Structure formats: structure tokens, C-alpha cells
Amino acid sequence: MKNTITLVCLFIGSIVFAQEQTPNTQKKDTIKTEVVNVITTYAPKVTDAFKIKRKPVVSLSKDIQKKELNYQIKSVPVASTFVPKSGTLKGIDVGKQERLFDNYFSAGFGNNTTPFVEMYMHNYTPYDGEYAVGLNFIYTNDPVPETILSSSYYNIDVDLFFKQEQRYFDWHMGFKGERDMYNWYGLPKGYDFQEFVINSIESQQTYKNYKFFGGVSLQDSYINKVDAAISLFSDDYESSELNALLTADFAFPLGRYGLELEDLQVKTSLNFLGGTFARSYDDINEIKHQFFNVGIHPFYNFAFNEFDIKVGAKGYFSMDVANSKNQFFIYPDVEVNYPVIGKLANLYIGANGDLYTNSYRSLSREMPYLSPTQNIQQTNQVFNAFGGLRGILSSKINYNVQASFKNEENKALFVVNRSKSNGITTGDINGFSYKSYEYGNSFTTIYDNINTLSITGEINYDYSKELTLGLHTEFNNYTTDLQTDPWGLPQIKADVFGHYKTSKWYAGANIYFVGDRPSISFNDNNPSDINLESYIDINVNGGYHINDIFSVFLRANNIMNNSYEKHINFNVQGVQIIGGVVWKFDAIF
């Protein structure tokens, strides 16, 4: 009780003392306000930071450690409500694919007793190799009307081919045989040939050519391929000719050491041509020709910006063995292409040249009525400068227009031989009988230096997948050196063609136009210049596919039945119609 009274008294006394004390006066703040100008900014660095030298060790309680969880999936089947929606494949309509066969046999028959046979057989297996056999035969019995001598002819071609593929190279070999018979039926019109003279003329001439060839194609080698061929050509008048050719193509890579360069292409050749004619046209002396040529043709193709450029040259060392003459020939081989307007117009310009070795076989294929008394020479095409424009106007039309200027030395021209008979004689005063080609009914070859300015144009129009149309025209202007005219060469040529094809039917047509051609005619051994008239030749063909294996065809040539003179004194046959059947089949072995 006493303690309680004491505490109460002390509490009341402290309150009274606090009320009587006078409060102190608050001191004034002496800090003044100032403006601080920051001159440079502070860029803190990592090195300025205080580094803790010890790594803290944090020990986790067992209560907060992660526990492993084990998942288990309970498979429950669920009915799917997804239904896939079928779509339609869209693409290009390429039409019905034609069934192809490796072999076919075709046979037919036409007017003027014209049988026709054509066959081709082919087989390929990866290990046994590839082989092919071809045969072509046609014969016509006196197709040219109003000719005194026979105008019959036939052509037989046989081809054999075999190819074998090895691991690092491929090799092939083959044989080609040709036998062509013609008649010198074009007797000159300025002579009155008696019947006994006509009966003494055996106008038939047969050309025979046998060619063996082979080659090797290499892989991963500087040598791309090597080809060799040897041909033996002869006729019924003891003429013979041997032609041996060896070619090799090389490719030298220039894109080494990081350079983006194309390969340098080099073509080489060795060619020997030798032949004899039993006699000349004017005497009984033998005529020989022998040429040996060594050629090299390097060229390089590259692109620069939008230009496609070809740079090359051709060189030949030529030996005229029969005349003991040797010559070097060098020709350019350059071409530049530039797309002026994309694919619409591609401008090109270039120049080249070449050495052409004429042969008895090549001349006789161009002019089958040659006399076996030819003077064979080489044609030197000094240069051929050309330029033009080509392009694709649309997906259906493409065109090409070109102008060129050629300079040719010793260009071959064909002129008719003069007749040794006056129509009533069959031999000369020395007792030698005239040959069947010495009645003005054969041709000889003469040579001249000719400059040719040409303008050509062609256009192709694919109207549809079934129909294709086209036109090709050529205009030439010739300048001769020794001759008064370019004998037998037309100034204007044109060709219009069309092809139509469906799954069952097919048809085609060609219209040829050839302008006037200068020629020489003999009347009583007096030469005169004449012009052979221009002509138009229309050919049509068509057929029907009975099924995939059998089909029938029909061909009609010269349907206007024009008996024009293709060569002086040699009229062509009129309309010719051939019909037949085609059998296509797979391998039978």
C-alpha cells in the first residue's frame, strides 16, 4: 500500500514539471540552394564494382529439394470424328501418252511399179549392250514419161550398229552399206538420135559405198571421244575412192585455282582421200586425186555480262599429193549473242570459214548424173560473215532472220557435158566407141571463185499440240570470177510446211519453190546460156493408226503433176503415190 502511494506521487509530479518548462526556439537551416553543372557524364565500368572474393554457399533444406515425379499414361480409346477430304490433282494436260516401240517394219507400193520397204530394229540391255539394224529400199520403173532412155532408179541402204557401255568408257562400231542405181536418160534436145544409136546406149550407172566406223567415248578424261571411219566408194566404170577419217575431241579444264572458267574445247582431225577415174572425158588418160589434211579447231565459250561469246579458230595443213602442193589454211570461228529484248529478240553476229574436201561420193549424191570423169578439188571457204536476229515472240511463235556474206574459192558447179555423137555416130574416127555418158546426157564439175550475199528467214508457228506450221525463205546474190553465171544455183528458194497429228490421224504437207537457174545448153556442140524455169513441187502425206501396233499411210509427191526440168535435159517424174502399212513391235529375241 505504501509503495503504491509513492508511485502515484512521482507520476503526478513529473506531469506538473513538464507543463511549467518553456519550449526551446527551433534553429534555422543554414544550407543554401545551389545549381550544380555536370561537365561530364559518368560511365561506370565493371572494374569499378566491388568484387566479392568469396562465393556464398547456400545450403538448401531438405524440405525444399525437388522430388522425382513418375508419370503414367492410362490409354483410353476415343472415337475420332476427323474425316479427310479428298482433293483433285491439278496439272498440265499432256494428252494421251503415245506407246513407243523399239522396232518397226513398213512396206508399200505405188504407181510406176514402185515397191517400198523400210525396217528398223533396236535392242538395249545394260550388260549385253545396244544394237540396231536398219534397212531402206525403194525402186521405180521408168517414172519419167516421154523419155527415150530408161529413167528407172533404186536406192538400198543397210545400217548395222553396236554399242557397249563400260565403267570408264563407252565404245561403238558399225557398218553402213549403200547401193544406188540411176540412168543417164537426159539426151539433149538439139540432136536427132537414130534408133540404132539409142539401142547402143547402156545408160545405167550404179554407185556403191561401204563404210566401217567405230569410236570410243571417255569419262573423266581430257579426251572426250575418238572416232574413226573408212569408206570405199566405186561405180560401174572402174572408178574408186578411199576416204579415211580420224577425229579426236579434247576438253582442257581452265577452272583450277579458284577460277570460274569453262573448259577449252579442241577438235582435231586427220583425213585422207584418194581416188582414180579410169579416163577423162576428152581422152583415155587416168585421173587421180589424193588429199591429206591435218586439222585443229580450238574454241572457247564464255559469258560476259549478258553476252554469250564463242572465240576460236580453225587451222589446216593440206597436202595435194597428186599435184605435189602443200598449203596452210587458217579460218576464224567467232560468234557473239546478245539478248536485246529478253527472249523476244536475240542479236547475234559472227564469222567463220572452213576447208571442204569434195569427193566423188559427195558430188554424186548432190548430182547423181555425173560422168565418171571428174576433176576433184577442195573448196576453200575463206570466210563467212553473218549476223541476224532470232527469238520467241510467244509460246507458239519463234523466228530467225539472218544476213550473210561468203567468199568461196573453187566452189563446185555442175554443167552438162557436150555430146560426142551427132545423133548418127556411136564412136570416133579412131574406132573407140562412145561411152553411155558421152551423148550429152551427163554432167561434169567445174570450179569458180564465188561471193554470195544471202538473206534468209524462217518462222515456226505451233498453233496447237496437233498443228504446226512453218516457212523458210532464202534470197541469194552471186558474183562469179571466171564463169559468166553461177550455173545451177537459184536466187530464190522457199519452203512452206505443216504437220497435223491426233491420237488416230496424222498428216503433213510441203510446198517447195525454186526460182530460175542459169544453165548451159549445147546445140551442135555450140554452147548457149539458158535459164531453167522456176517450179513448185507440192508433197502431202497422211496416215491412220488402227491401233498401237498397226497403221496405214499414204504419200503423194508432186501432186500438181509438173514435169519440170530440175537439171538441164532431165525432167522429173509426175505425180507419185505410195500407200502401205506399218507394223510396230517390241523385241522378238
mmCIF file of all heavy atoms in Angstrom, residues 217-242:
data_model
loop_
_atom_site.group_PDB
_atom_site.id
_atom_site.type_symbol
_atom_site.label_atom_id
_atom_site.label_comp_id
_atom_site.label_asym_id
_atom_site.label_seq_id
_atom_site.Cartn_x
_atom_site.Cartn_y
_atom_site.Cartn_z
ATOM 1 N N SER A 217 34.096 -43.195 -126.344
ATOM 2 C CA SER A 217 33.764 -42.018 -125.544
ATOM 3 C C SER A 217 34.277 -42.255 -124.128
ATOM 4 O O SER A 217 33.921 -43.253 -123.496
ATOM 5 C CB SER A 217 32.256 -41.765 -125.532
ATOM 6 O OG SER A 217 31.769 -41.527 -126.835
ATOM 7 N N LEU A 218 35.122 -41.339 -123.641
ATOM 8 C CA LEU A 218 35.770 -41.498 -122.345
ATOM 9 C C LEU A 218 35.109 -40.606 -121.308
ATOM 10 O O LEU A 218 34.560 -39.550 -121.624
ATOM 11 C CB LEU A 218 37.250 -41.153 -122.457
ATOM 12 C CG LEU A 218 38.045 -41.936 -123.503
ATOM 13 C CD1 LEU A 218 39.466 -41.424 -123.596
ATOM 14 C CD2 LEU A 218 38.053 -43.419 -123.161
ATOM 15 N N GLN A 219 35.186 -41.054 -120.042
ATOM 16 C CA GLN A 219 34.652 -40.291 -118.923
ATOM 17 C C GLN A 219 35.802 -39.845 -118.032
ATOM 18 O O GLN A 219 36.777 -40.564 -117.843
ATOM 19 C CB GLN A 219 33.661 -41.130 -118.118
ATOM 20 C CG GLN A 219 32.482 -41.647 -118.937
ATOM 21 C CD GLN A 219 31.582 -42.559 -118.130
ATOM 22 O OE1 GLN A 219 31.735 -42.686 -116.915
ATOM 23 N NE2 GLN A 219 30.637 -43.200 -118.803
ATOM 24 N N ASP A 220 35.655 -38.629 -117.483
ATOM 25 C CA ASP A 220 36.659 -38.065 -116.573
ATOM 26 C C ASP A 220 38.047 -38.102 -117.221
ATOM 27 O O ASP A 220 39.026 -38.575 -116.639
ATOM 28 C CB ASP A 220 36.688 -38.836 -115.244
ATOM 29 C CG ASP A 220 35.356 -38.764 -114.523
ATOM 30 O OD1 ASP A 220 34.666 -37.736 -114.670
ATOM 31 O OD2 ASP A 220 34.993 -39.732 -113.840
ATOM 32 N N SER A 221 38.117 -37.573 -118.435
ATOM 33 C CA SER A 221 39.374 -37.574 -119.161
ATOM 34 C C SER A 221 39.467 -36.310 -119.991
ATOM 35 O O SER A 221 38.456 -35.693 -120.337
ATOM 36 C CB SER A 221 39.485 -38.819 -120.050
ATOM 37 O OG SER A 221 40.635 -38.748 -120.872
ATOM 38 N N TYR A 222 40.708 -35.922 -120.318
ATOM 39 C CA TYR A 222 40.903 -34.794 -121.215
ATOM 40 C C TYR A 222 40.411 -35.118 -122.629
ATOM 41 O O TYR A 222 40.124 -34.215 -123.404
ATOM 42 C CB TYR A 222 42.380 -34.400 -121.270
ATOM 43 C CG TYR A 222 42.915 -33.835 -119.969
ATOM 44 C CD1 TYR A 222 44.163 -34.196 -119.494
ATOM 45 C CD2 TYR A 222 42.159 -32.932 -119.227
ATOM 46 C CE1 TYR A 222 44.655 -33.675 -118.308
ATOM 47 C CE2 TYR A 222 42.635 -32.406 -118.041
ATOM 48 C CZ TYR A 222 43.891 -32.777 -117.580
ATOM 49 O OH TYR A 222 44.358 -32.257 -116.410
ATOM 50 N N ILE A 223 40.318 -36.382 -122.957
ATOM 51 C CA ILE A 223 39.837 -36.806 -124.269
ATOM 52 C C ILE A 223 38.355 -37.159 -124.143
ATOM 53 O O ILE A 223 37.995 -38.095 -123.426
ATOM 54 C CB ILE A 223 40.627 -38.017 -124.788
ATOM 55 C CG1 ILE A 223 42.130 -37.709 -124.805
ATOM 56 C CG2 ILE A 223 40.155 -38.394 -126.179
ATOM 57 C CD1 ILE A 223 42.978 -38.892 -125.212
ATOM 58 N N ASN A 224 37.514 -36.411 -124.827
ATOM 59 C CA ASN A 224 36.070 -36.682 -124.772
ATOM 60 C C ASN A 224 35.706 -37.906 -125.605
ATOM 61 O O ASN A 224 35.020 -38.814 -125.130
ATOM 62 C CB ASN A 224 35.288 -35.468 -125.252
ATOM 63 C CG ASN A 224 35.294 -34.339 -124.239
ATOM 64 O OD1 ASN A 224 35.519 -34.562 -123.050
ATOM 65 N ND2 ASN A 224 35.067 -33.126 -124.706
ATOM 66 N N LYS A 225 36.165 -37.924 -126.849
ATOM 67 C CA LYS A 225 35.842 -39.050 -127.722
ATOM 68 C C LYS A 225 36.824 -39.118 -128.873
ATOM 69 O O LYS A 225 37.454 -38.128 -129.238
ATOM 70 C CB LYS A 225 34.414 -38.942 -128.254
ATOM 71 C CG LYS A 225 34.165 -37.725 -129.140
ATOM 72 C CD LYS A 225 32.744 -37.746 -129.689
ATOM 73 C CE LYS A 225 32.488 -36.560 -130.625
ATOM 74 N NZ LYS A 225 31.134 -36.594 -131.207
ATOM 75 N N VAL A 226 36.927 -40.323 -129.425
ATOM 76 C CA VAL A 226 37.761 -40.584 -130.593
ATOM 77 C C VAL A 226 36.924 -41.409 -131.565
ATOM 78 O O VAL A 226 36.350 -42.430 -131.172
ATOM 79 C CB VAL A 226 39.051 -41.335 -130.214
ATOM 80 C CG1 VAL A 226 39.876 -41.638 -131.460
ATOM 81 C CG2 VAL A 226 39.877 -40.529 -129.219
ATOM 82 N N ASP A 227 36.847 -40.958 -132.810
ATOM 83 C CA ASP A 227 36.061 -41.643 -133.834
ATOM 84 C C ASP A 227 36.937 -41.907 -135.049
ATOM 85 O O ASP A 227 37.799 -41.085 -135.401
ATOM 86 C CB ASP A 227 34.845 -40.810 -134.264
ATOM 87 C CG ASP A 227 33.821 -40.684 -133.150
ATOM 88 O OD1 ASP A 227 33.447 -41.718 -132.577
ATOM 89 O OD2 ASP A 227 33.400 -39.548 -132.864
ATOM 90 N N ALA A 228 36.678 -43.038 -135.693
ATOM 91 C CA ALA A 228 37.405 -43.413 -136.905
ATOM 92 C C ALA A 228 36.427 -44.010 -137.897
ATOM 93 O O ALA A 228 35.451 -44.669 -137.518
ATOM 94 C CB ALA A 228 38.518 -44.402 -136.590
ATOM 95 N N ALA A 229 36.675 -43.764 -139.183
ATOM 96 C CA ALA A 229 35.813 -44.285 -140.243
ATOM 97 C C ALA A 229 36.638 -44.468 -141.500
ATOM 98 O O ALA A 229 37.569 -43.703 -141.769
ATOM 99 C CB ALA A 229 34.642 -43.345 -140.507
ATOM 100 N N ILE A 230 36.286 -45.491 -142.255
ATOM 101 C CA ILE A 230 36.916 -45.742 -143.544
ATOM 102 C C ILE A 230 35.825 -46.143 -144.537
ATOM 103 O O ILE A 230 34.960 -46.969 -144.212
ATOM 104 C CB ILE A 230 38.021 -46.816 -143.442
ATOM 105 C CG1 ILE A 230 38.731 -46.984 -144.777
ATOM 106 C CG2 ILE A 230 37.481 -48.133 -142.912
ATOM 107 C CD1 ILE A 230 39.993 -47.823 -144.683
ATOM 108 N N SER A 231 35.839 -45.517 -145.714
ATOM 109 C CA SER A 231 34.794 -45.732 -146.717
ATOM 110 C C SER A 231 35.439 -46.099 -148.050
ATOM 111 O O SER A 231 36.491 -45.551 -148.420
ATOM 112 C CB SER A 231 33.934 -44.475 -146.904
ATOM 113 O OG SER A 231 33.330 -44.079 -145.685
ATOM 114 N N LEU A 232 34.783 -46.990 -148.763
ATOM 115 C CA LEU A 232 35.207 -47.386 -150.098
ATOM 116 C C LEU A 232 34.040 -47.146 -151.048
ATOM 117 O O LEU A 232 32.964 -47.724 -150.881
ATOM 118 C CB LEU A 232 35.633 -48.852 -150.139
ATOM 119 C CG LEU A 232 36.095 -49.372 -151.505
ATOM 120 C CD1 LEU A 232 37.338 -48.610 -151.968
ATOM 121 C CD2 LEU A 232 36.380 -50.864 -151.446
ATOM 122 N N PHE A 233 34.254 -46.278 -152.040
ATOM 123 C CA PHE A 233 33.215 -45.878 -152.986
ATOM 124 C C PHE A 233 33.645 -46.281 -154.392
ATOM 125 O O PHE A 233 34.812 -46.125 -154.769
ATOM 126 C CB PHE A 233 33.001 -44.362 -152.911
ATOM 127 C CG PHE A 233 31.871 -43.857 -153.740
ATOM 128 C CD1 PHE A 233 30.557 -44.046 -153.350
ATOM 129 C CD2 PHE A 233 32.124 -43.186 -154.930
ATOM 130 C CE1 PHE A 233 29.513 -43.572 -154.123
ATOM 131 C CE2 PHE A 233 31.085 -42.700 -155.704
ATOM 132 C CZ PHE A 233 29.778 -42.897 -155.307
ATOM 133 N N SER A 234 32.694 -46.799 -155.175
ATOM 134 C CA SER A 234 33.016 -47.243 -156.533
ATOM 135 C C SER A 234 31.777 -47.149 -157.401
ATOM 136 O O SER A 234 30.662 -46.908 -156.917
ATOM 137 C CB SER A 234 33.555 -48.675 -156.524
ATOM 138 O OG SER A 234 32.595 -49.572 -156.014
ATOM 139 N N ASP A 235 31.961 -47.357 -158.726
ATOM 140 C CA ASP A 235 30.843 -47.346 -159.660
ATOM 141 C C ASP A 235 31.050 -48.429 -160.716
ATOM 142 O O ASP A 235 31.941 -49.282 -160.590
ATOM 143 C CB ASP A 235 30.671 -45.963 -160.291
ATOM 144 C CG ASP A 235 31.862 -45.558 -161.154
ATOM 145 O OD1 ASP A 235 32.768 -46.391 -161.371
ATOM 146 O OD2 ASP A 235 31.901 -44.399 -161.613
ATOM 147 N N ASP A 236 30.227 -48.383 -161.762
ATOM 148 C CA ASP A 236 30.289 -49.405 -162.813
ATOM 149 C C ASP A 236 31.374 -49.153 -163.849
ATOM 150 O O ASP A 236 31.563 -49.968 -164.756
ATOM 151 C CB ASP A 236 28.932 -49.493 -163.537
ATOM 152 C CG ASP A 236 27.847 -50.109 -162.669
ATOM 153 O OD1 ASP A 236 28.197 -50.769 -161.664
ATOM 154 O OD2 ASP A 236 26.655 -49.922 -162.986
ATOM 155 N N TYR A 237 32.096 -48.050 -163.736
ATOM 156 C CA TYR A 237 33.081 -47.677 -164.757
ATOM 157 C C TYR A 237 34.499 -47.616 -164.189
ATOM 158 O O TYR A 237 35.286 -46.757 -164.548
ATOM 159 C CB TYR A 237 32.695 -46.340 -165.398
ATOM 160 C CG TYR A 237 31.488 -46.455 -166.292
ATOM 161 C CD1 TYR A 237 30.202 -46.423 -165.759
ATOM 162 C CD2 TYR A 237 31.626 -46.624 -167.661
ATOM 163 C CE1 TYR A 237 29.088 -46.537 -166.577
ATOM 164 C CE2 TYR A 237 30.515 -46.747 -168.485
ATOM 165 C CZ TYR A 237 29.252 -46.700 -167.938
ATOM 166 O OH TYR A 237 28.150 -46.825 -168.764
ATOM 167 N N GLU A 238 34.799 -48.544 -163.284
ATOM 168 C CA GLU A 238 36.136 -48.730 -162.727
ATOM 169 C C GLU A 238 36.642 -47.509 -161.963
ATOM 170 O O GLU A 238 37.849 -47.323 -161.797
ATOM 171 C CB GLU A 238 37.138 -49.093 -163.825
ATOM 172 C CG GLU A 238 36.792 -50.375 -164.570
ATOM 173 C CD GLU A 238 37.798 -50.693 -165.656
ATOM 174 O OE1 GLU A 238 38.770 -49.918 -165.811
ATOM 175 O OE2 GLU A 238 37.605 -51.699 -166.360
ATOM 176 N N SER A 239 35.729 -46.688 -161.494
ATOM 177 C CA SER A 239 36.107 -45.575 -160.621
ATOM 178 C C SER A 239 36.103 -46.064 -159.184
ATOM 179 O O SER A 239 35.236 -46.855 -158.792
ATOM 180 C CB SER A 239 35.137 -44.404 -160.779
ATOM 181 O OG SER A 239 35.032 -44.010 -162.122
ATOM 182 N N SER A 240 37.041 -45.588 -158.390
ATOM 183 C CA SER A 240 37.128 -45.997 -156.987
ATOM 184 C C SER A 240 37.660 -44.838 -156.157
ATOM 185 O O SER A 240 38.390 -43.973 -156.664
ATOM 186 C CB SER A 240 38.026 -47.225 -156.820
ATOM 187 O OG SER A 240 39.342 -46.930 -157.227
ATOM 188 N N GLU A 241 37.285 -44.870 -154.884
ATOM 189 C CA GLU A 241 37.693 -43.790 -153.985
ATOM 190 C C GLU A 241 37.757 -44.327 -152.558
ATOM 191 O O GLU A 241 36.849 -45.031 -152.109
ATOM 192 C CB GLU A 241 36.723 -42.620 -154.079
ATOM 193 C CG GLU A 241 37.138 -41.386 -153.303
ATOM 194 C CD GLU A 241 36.164 -40.250 -153.521
ATOM 195 O OE1 GLU A 241 35.006 -40.393 -153.068
ATOM 196 O OE2 GLU A 241 36.531 -39.241 -154.147
ATOM 197 N N LEU A 242 38.826 -43.981 -151.855
ATOM 198 C CA LEU A 242 39.027 -44.369 -150.458
ATOM 199 C C LEU A 242 39.049 -43.111 -149.600
ATOM 200 O O LEU A 242 39.774 -42.161 -149.899
ATOM 201 C CB LEU A 242 40.330 -45.141 -150.293
ATOM 202 C CG LEU A 242 40.707 -45.542 -148.864
ATOM 203 C CD1 LEU A 242 39.727 -46.580 -148.323
ATOM 204 C CD2 LEU A 242 42.134 -46.079 -148.802
#
